Amino acid sequence: MSQDAAPQPAPASTDLVQVVRHASGVVELVLNRPEAMNAVSTAMAAALTENASGVAADVSVRAVVVSSSHPKAFCVGADLKERNTLTDDELRAQRPGNRTAYRSVLDLPVPVIAAVDGYALGGGCEIALSCDLIVASPGATFALPEVSVGVIPGGGGTQLLTRRVGWSRAADLIFTARRVGGEEALGLGVVDRVVDDPRAAALELAGRIAAHSPVGVRNAKAAMRGGMDVSLAEGLDIEDARWHDTAFSADRAEGVAAFAEKRTPSWPGLSGR
């Protein structure tokens, strides 16, 4: 896998979030507004939505890494300079696009890994929380500081952090607006791994995921996400439906054949269904 692959050509409107394609179906979404430490402006939110939606529609994609082009910041959250110029009506009009941007990451159908080095504050922390796994450096800094500036987390933070770490730990971080480093974030369960080079580690992890059945991985994620907020009985029914989708796919036939023949599977994926 090439970690230095050149970004794919993209329209000017999407340059703020670049798409980099690696081997084996791994795609990297690179937050790319370095002059503002990737602060989420209206234009950047639109770029995130457009590129994430394009990735979601691509059946060849097997795993996604969300990273940053800035060496000291993943994303520092909302563009407060832009927001300070907005009237109340303009802020209301901006809101749906911002919500869609964060949901575009959360709703990706394949596993998504955030590679966080430096600041992940406010909306930046929420982009990371919208991913399935978070790999961070010891020097990463996480915070949801919104109550300190008169708002609340609005990119999913109150819901995603609580689901990830539990009520009391989420309450501690959200109510105090305090910052935590990589190691403390790991101890709290905010992040899943702490390594010196989170981007390289995230790409390696994505590569391992991409080596498995694309149909199986997508259906496993769908079953896990779909069963999170329902009863156990309903969750088991969701799992059963996804099991059927996978068990009678070309991937299952190839997986069994490859195991019997002691070879590496050549997955048909969604194109073989």
Side-chain angles (χ1 to χ4, degrees):
M1 178 186 304
S2 170
Q3 295 177 6
D4 296 315
Q8 298 295 300
S13 63
T14 61
D15 285 347
L16 294 170
V17 178
Q18 296 184 329
V19 177
V20 180
R21 297 186 179 274
H22 298 273
S24 305
V26 174
V27 168
E28 189 176 3
L29 291 173
V30 184
L31 306 178
N32 186 46
R33 195 184 174 211
E35 72 281 2
M37 289 190 167
N38 295 327
V40 182
S41 62
T42 303
M44 188 166 182
L48 183 60
T49 298
E50 183 172 343
N51 275 331
S53 298
V55 169
D58 186 346
V59 297
S60 72
V61 176
R62 298 188 180 188
V64 172
V65 171
V66 181
S67 65
S68 167
S69 65
H70 195 291
K72 296 182 179 180
F74 178 74
C75 171
V76 295
D79 186 339
L80 296 183
K81 290 182 179 179
E82 178 190 62
R83 187 166 292 182
N84 192 46
T85 69
L86 301 179
T87 66
D88 285 353
D89 286 343
E90 288 169 337
L91 183 60
R92 290 189 187 94
Q94 183 198 54
R95 174 64 177 162
N98 282 2
R99 287 194 68 190
T100 300
Y102 294 106
R103 282 300 300 263
S104 71
V105 177
L106 184 65
D107 291 342
L108 283 164
V110 297
V112 187
I113 306 162
V116 179
D117 200 0
Y119 296 111
L121 309 179
C125 185
E126 290 172 308
I127 291 172
L129 290 170
S130 297
C131 299
D132 302 298
L133 296 167
I134 303 174
V135 180
S137 71
T141 300
F142 294 86
L144 291 173
E146 283 84 355
V147 297
S148 70
V149 293
V151 290
I152 69 168
T158 63
Q159 306 304 304
L160 297 173
L161 184 63
T162 304
R163 283 165 171 75
R164 182 174 259 270
V165 304
W167 170 268
S168 59
R169 289 181 173 183
D172 174 16
L173 295 175
I174 292 171
F175 297 165
T176 66
R178 71 185 183 91
R179 298 183 178 190
V180 297
E183 294 292 350
E184 184 177 3
L186 179 65
L188 291 170
V190 176
V191 308
D192 303 292
R193 301 184 186 186
V194 172
V195 297
D196 289 334
D197 189 340
R199 177 175 176 266
L203 287 169
E204 180 181 5
L205 181 57
R208 291 184 63 182
I209 292 168
H212 300 307
S213 160
V215 174
V217 170
R218 283 174 179 250
N219 278 326
K221 175 171 177 174
M224 292 168 72
R225 284 294 179 96
M228 282 182 65
D229 299 313
V230 300
S231 69
L232 177 58
E234 291 173 294
L236 291 172
D237 286 342
I238 291 170
E239 179 186 78
D240 185 63
R242 292 297 180 172
W243 180 87
H244 278 85
D245 286 346
T246 311
F248 300 101
S249 70
D251 270 17
R252 190 273 303 171
E254 169 60 13
V256 172
F259 179 82
E261 296 164 13
K262 297 181 172 58
R263 60 175 174 80
T264 301
S266 179
W267 302 113
L270 296 183
S271 61
R273 300 183 73 178

